[in-house]
Amino acid sequence: MAQYDLTLTIAPYLDRHLVFPLLEFLQEKQLYTDDHILKAKIDLLAKTNMVDYAVDIYKSLYHTEYPLQEMLDRRTEVMDRLKYLEELAAPLVSFLQNPALVQELRPDKQYNLQMLHDRFQIRSEQIEALYQFAKFQFECGNYSGAGDFLYQYRTLCTNVDRSFSALWGKLAAEILMQNWDVAVEELNRLKETIDSRPDPPLTQLKNRTWLMHWSLFIFFNHENGRNGIIDLFFQEKYLNAIQTNAPHLLRYFATAIIINKRRRNMLKELIKVIQQEHYTYKDPITEFLECLYVDYDFEGAQQKLRECEELIVNDFFLGKQVQENGYLTMPLRDEFLENARLFIFETYCRIHQCIDIGILSQKLNMTYGDAERWIVNLIRNARLDAKIDSKMGTVVMGTQHTNV
Amino acid sequence: MASRFWTQQQSDSESEEEEEIEEEEEELETRPDPREGAAAGSKYLSANLSDSDESDDQRRVVRSAKDKRFDEMGTIVEQMKNYMKINDWVSLQESFEKLNKQLEKVIRVTESEKAPRVYIKALVMLEDFLVQALANKDAKKKMSSSNAKSLNYMKQKLKKNNKLYEAEIELYRQKPESEEDSDNDEEDEEGMESEVDYSDEEPGNIAAGYSGSEDEEEEEDEEGWEKKRSKKDKLMDKQFMRDPSEITWEMVDKKVKEIIAARGRKGTDRTEQVEQLTYLTRVAKTPAQKLEVLMHVVSAQFDVTPNLNTHLPVAVWKKSVQNILSILDILSQYRNIEVDERVEPESDTETQKGADYEGPIYVRGNIVAFLERIDDELFKSLQCIDPHTKEYVERMRDEPLFMTLAQNVQDYVQRIGDKSATARVALRRVEHVYYKPQEVYEAMRKLAEAQTSNVAEEDELPTEVDEGESGEDGKVIEIKARESKAPPSFVVIPEIVPRRPTFPDLSRVLMDQLVSTIYKYGDERTRARAMLCDIYHHAISEEFHTARDLLLMSHLQENVQVMDISTQILFNRTMAQLGLCAFRAALINEAHGCLSELYAGGRIKELLAQGVSQSRYHEKTPEQEKLERRRQMPFHMHINLELLEAVHLICAMLLEVPNMAANAHDIKRKVISKTFRRLLDINERQTFLGPPENVRDHMMVATRSLSNGNWQKAVEVVQSLDVWKLIPRREFVLDMLKSKIQEEGLRTYLFTYSSYYDALSLDQLMTIFELEEAQVHSIISKMMIAEELHASWDQPTRCIVTHNVEPTRLQALASQYAEKLTVLVEGNEKAFDARTGGGLEGISSMRRKEGQDYAGAASGRRQNEYTGRQNYREFGNAGNRSGFTGGRGAGGQTRGGFYRDQRSGQANSRNNSSYTAGYQSTRYQDAYSSVGRTTYQGLSSAGASRNAQPDAAGRMVNLAQGGLTRSSGRF
């Protein structure tokens, strides 16, 4: 299933720290060898400040007790830098840690700066140091600290670009801490900022692509994410970004639409996009939709559905497992399969007046009994105008067409 | 008299010659141009005329009694010559009139229809002199008023007069000898004499083969300046060869300036100028000077063809290329020399700085402009040369040479950091590569390599042929040594810049390099053109999606309307190529989208600049035609029009045939390709159909068989086209075509015949159309989902069960009929409105009458309805005509509203079912009979639907008589 793995495609659009969960997931799924993944992890950590973690991985990778000298050097370097920044930012940090004082801050940034300067001798260098410190914290893996500092920093910062970076940092921190509600807020804020910034189109495109990738973490975890992802991705600018820059996002987009019953109306648009991008990107999920709605090839759809299942299990975002009543379930997979089946069946019914349940059960990847039960349920819930001819083993559709 | 003239002339020329010699000695004068001034011109003319006069003299001696008239005429001519010399137009005018009178006498005497030679000669002489006089504006200004008046008079008179003798003059000018032969004056001596004259007259004919029976002095006079020049040349050469070190920078500089000053003046011999300048390149003192002179050489070479419509002779072109290459040599050897257009002309002592000068030296000039001109000339020559000759092929072989030059120029401008120039040069290179598919590109690459391998031979050849002007060889020492005449070049520049192009293996690689440079540095237009070339190249290398994305992302489609014409042509070419590419990739819809617009106006040739299409409706002015001819693409860049047309028509056929079958009952509803429909109409109107000849005929035959369900024949006809041999991956394309035709055949079949079946078997369809089960299933399913086909599958029996909700022919016609009636009623109502509402002004009396008739015809029942008209018309305005059928009944408004809602929400086909419900009711018949009369009355106002209506109405009447049975068989 490694052929459908998107980790490599997605990774360039993510922050280093955001890639970790993906690698962890891959390790668990055993798609690649352990060594392979451990190496990737070390590479990933090389640029971060999580030296201790890197050392651990190094040890387990090469089964040695002695890490490389350069790693140790790096460690001391990091520690020094940390100390330095900490000292530099100390006055401001202490100020910010005092809730009574923070209360005095007002929405007026100029006033705040003035006040800090007058009363606490905190100058702009210290504020800048706060940003650096926050960034450093983030690099070290202290996401909550970083997130807090960045939040504070934003209230003080006057530099637009810096504030923009701080937004990204904050979002990353929230995602890594899995504070989905906060993350959604940050995401929306960031989105507005991107749209309003006077960047050249190319930069905007890049930013949007990043944003979409990051948002995957949120949308597949947040309870309302399924609507959120469709809303975001379906905006024209973002859809354009998908088409030009990241067609692989169509996988998540398609999945989101398939499992979201209320957004069925968007399916047509989605299929158009999928068809257009067919030459650059395809995977079982998009192919499934194509088989079903472009070629009406039910056999093919069936085939693809099986592949889809496998794909979902091995996808970080889609194959999330949830502990429920002591069972490990994959809610997304189940929903996807259920909906996909319904799609097939619906389409099938639309063009048939008489269907053999045996064949249908095959197409739906069910046993005869299951299929019959499923159909009965559908009929009972008044979603289908049909009758089962149990002697012949067929479903006969009610005539939708009024005769002349 | 003659002798007087003689001496006069002699002294004249002698003094001038003396002057010249003096000049020569002083400033290395090569030669004065004899045609420069009026005086020199007259000398030239008189020199040759004095001969004829002399011959006259002789004649008189031989047979003086024989013909006095001729002598008189000769005298007048003599006089005229004299007047010319003193520029006396008043007297000239008089003599001219005298001459004409004399002519009448002569003709009477000789009793021949032809004007005598002397007369014609005089005319020619006059004409030439006149032209000169007119061209010399300064002199004209100085003239006295009476003189100027006579000049103008003469101008008109002569023009008129010469028209009569146009042929003779032409003949005389072309080949005086043959004219002389045909002249049946039996004067042998004159013939002898005049032959000598004529050799003088022709400037190219240097008196090398002159039979010098006369003495030395006479020879000098007789031969005029031609002879003198060669002498002077020799003199000059001697001087140079004797002592090249004596020549100073100033001398060269002065001379150059002199030559440049003469540039563009009337009567300057352009080739001569090139030679002189070329000579100077050899004696130039410093590299910078050499560079400067070379620049002038190139400009002078460009001047050789003054006309925009003719191209530079190939030899000159090649020499210019070599010269520019030497310029580049100098520039790359002496890095401190800078060529810039913005240098002030005053600062030209710059070039005095020698080769060892350290600081920057500025020379005025623009190499990129040279390169562009070279390219334009290449393009023009390819436009002009007949593409079916060997010459064309030869010419095309020069392309690598150009590419070399362009490459070098690009390197140079890149070195000096001129970004926009880099982009411009890169674009020129792109425009030589973009239309070449990999195979052609490969061929060019090989050719370039082959050319460089025997480059030595090639270098020898031109030097031997044109020894006199070997400027480009100045720096190749061994070649130069072979030349006896040319002195060694003073500044020797080795060949530094590569003389062979380097092409990457793949044209794509080259394109990418160039195009990315252009995108980085180019201006708007350059970028747009580069983008188009890029798209074109992607299209011919079968990368449709990349090409399409580039096109869409660059938004060229929106901006192309405001671009210059040549870019628009490029855009059209790109679209055509994109269409072909889409077709090869089996993307019929896309292909049609790309091509349909090109074919919409029927001016495809013009749009692609591949020839001129004649338009019946508007004549083009000569200027427009000229412009258009200048835009034409050279033959080797053409996109095959037959192939393009075939592809376009096939795409249109594949889309349109099922579409027509689907909407058989109302043709006008949805037209995909208007062009195709028109062709089909024309074809159908023909009484006799011969076997198909051109692409169009083939396609029409294929269309007919396809719509009749005979897909095999369609495939056969389409595949029999010859154009397919032009397409790469032919087998694949033909297979693709076959399967497409099968599929569309199936669709057409289902559209046309499904309503006659209760059920169709899947297997049956598979065998008829030789398609796979999956394919048939998929196609039919698609049609069902799209509600094009009202049927559903019966899975256990593998059958398609049709629901027969499609209206039968009768029903469809009835609904059409009703719709038309609605239109009529509406028209009538408007008329009624106008009558009662007071809006009478705008309506003709005729129309008013109709309204009255209508009012009478409509029963009182309708009158009642008009009370509810206000509401009723709302339906009509909403574009929902059929609301009327409901509206006519008792509960007008509400029913109408119901129909409208239903209709607007549903697909077309559904409408019919709702309609037919109304149709079956008795009310319909009622309505029908009441409107029956109005149909005919209202015909004139029905306009467009006029033709169709009586037909439909007639059928309806029959039907009504025969009862409303289902009568599909009858129609």
Side-chain angles (χ1 to χ4, degrees), chain B residues 19-45:
Chain B
E19 260 172 46
E20 279 159 15
I21 290 166
E22 271 165 34
E23 266 175 30
E24 265 174 57
E25 280 164 5
E26 276 169 28
E27 346 164 83
L28 305 162
E29 169 89 30
T30 46
R31 69 183 179 89
D33 206 300
R35 278 184 233 159
E36 242 168 63
S42 72
K43 182 196 67 166
Y44 162 62
L45 280 165

Side-chain angles (χ1 to χ4, degrees), chain B residues 596-641:
Chain B
S596 62
E597 219 172 299
L598 284 174
Y599 275 94
R603 298 192 308 161
I604 184 77
K605 276 185 184 169
E606 239 166 288
L607 290 178
L608 295 179
Q610 295 186 176
V612 194
S613 53
Q614 274 112 21
S615 162
R616 239 177 301 165
Y617 303 109
H618 84 288
E619 291 273 303
K620 284 188 209 107
T621 61
E623 283 83 50
Q624 276 177 321
E625 255 173 49
K626 226 181 256 172
L627 270 178
E628 203 172 301
R629 219 169 303 128
R630 218 173 294 155
R631 284 196 291 264
Q632 294 298 304
M633 284 289 144
F635 184 72
H636 66 283
M637 291 168 80
H638 281 196
I639 299 169
N640 188 288
L641 286 177

Side-chain angles (χ1 to χ4, degrees), chain A residues 188-353:
Chain A
N188 288 332
R189 203 170 292 147
L190 196 56
K191 181 173 156 264
E192 277 161 31
T193 321
I194 290 175
D195 289 342
S196 62
R197 273 168 69 89
D199 285 326
L202 196 66
T203 324
Q204 282 204 336
L205 179 72
K206 224 185 263 170
N207 281 333
R208 292 211 177 95
T209 319
W210 275 65
L211 190 71
M212 278 191 282
H213 280 93
W214 290 29
S215 71
L216 292 177
F217 286 94
I218 303 168
F219 288 143
F220 285 104
N221 287 299
H222 191 263
E223 60 210 12
N224 196 27
R226 290 170 186 189
N227 288 323
I229 187 171
I230 297 174
D231 290 339
L232 179 74
F233 283 20
F234 210 70
Q235 284 177 23
E236 204 197 330
K237 286 172 182 167
Y238 288 84
L239 202 57
N240 272 341
I242 292 178
Q243 285 184 286
T244 44
N245 230 0
H248 53 265
L249 286 177
L250 283 175
R251 170 191 290 186
Y252 302 104
F253 195 21
T255 316
I257 286 190
I258 290 173
I259 58 174
N260 199 326
K261 289 196 179 79
R262 265 168 298 170
R263 299 300 175 92
R264 198 55 74 68
N265 45 352
M266 287 172 175
L267 199 60
K268 250 187 187 163
E269 292 291 315
L270 174 71
I271 285 164
K272 255 187 223 160
V273 176
I274 288 179
Q275 263 186 290
Q276 256 174 36
E277 298 306 315
H278 178 82
Y279 70 100
T280 46
Y281 179 77
K282 55 176 179 231
D283 69 14
I285 293 181
T286 63
E287 280 175 325
F288 166 73
L289 286 177
E290 273 192 294
C291 280
L292 198 55
Y293 288 107
V294 180
D295 299 332
Y296 299 96
D297 172 6
F298 297 96
E299 302 286 330
Q302 189 46 47
Q303 177 68 29
K304 291 294 166 198
L305 196 58
R306 244 171 268 137
E307 285 175 31
C308 284
E309 191 177 349
E310 233 175 305
L311 176 143
I312 290 173
V313 170
N314 287 308
D315 190 281
F316 171 76
F317 296 107
L318 303 177
K320 201 178 52 130
Q321 289 175 325
V322 175
Q323 198 93 19
E324 208 175 280
N325 306 333
Y327 294 108
L328 264 184
T329 57
M330 250 182 243
L332 236 141
R333 178 189 63 179
D334 300 341
E335 268 181 79
F336 180 86
L337 290 182
E338 171 72 18
N339 275 300
R341 252 181 226 140
L342 206 60
F343 276 6
I344 297 180
F345 186 61
E346 242 176 42
T347 320
Y348 213 68
C349 289
R350 272 177 73 187
I351 57 172
H352 282 79
Q353 67 166 8

Side-chain angles (χ1 to χ4, degrees), chain B residues 536-555:
Chain B
Y536 190 105
H537 194 267
H538 276 299
I540 55 173
S541 34
E542 307 290 330
E543 289 171 70
F544 176 74
H545 291 289
T546 328
R548 183 198 65 185
D549 285 355
L550 276 176
L551 184 72
L552 292 180
M553 278 195 276
S554 60
H555 297 285

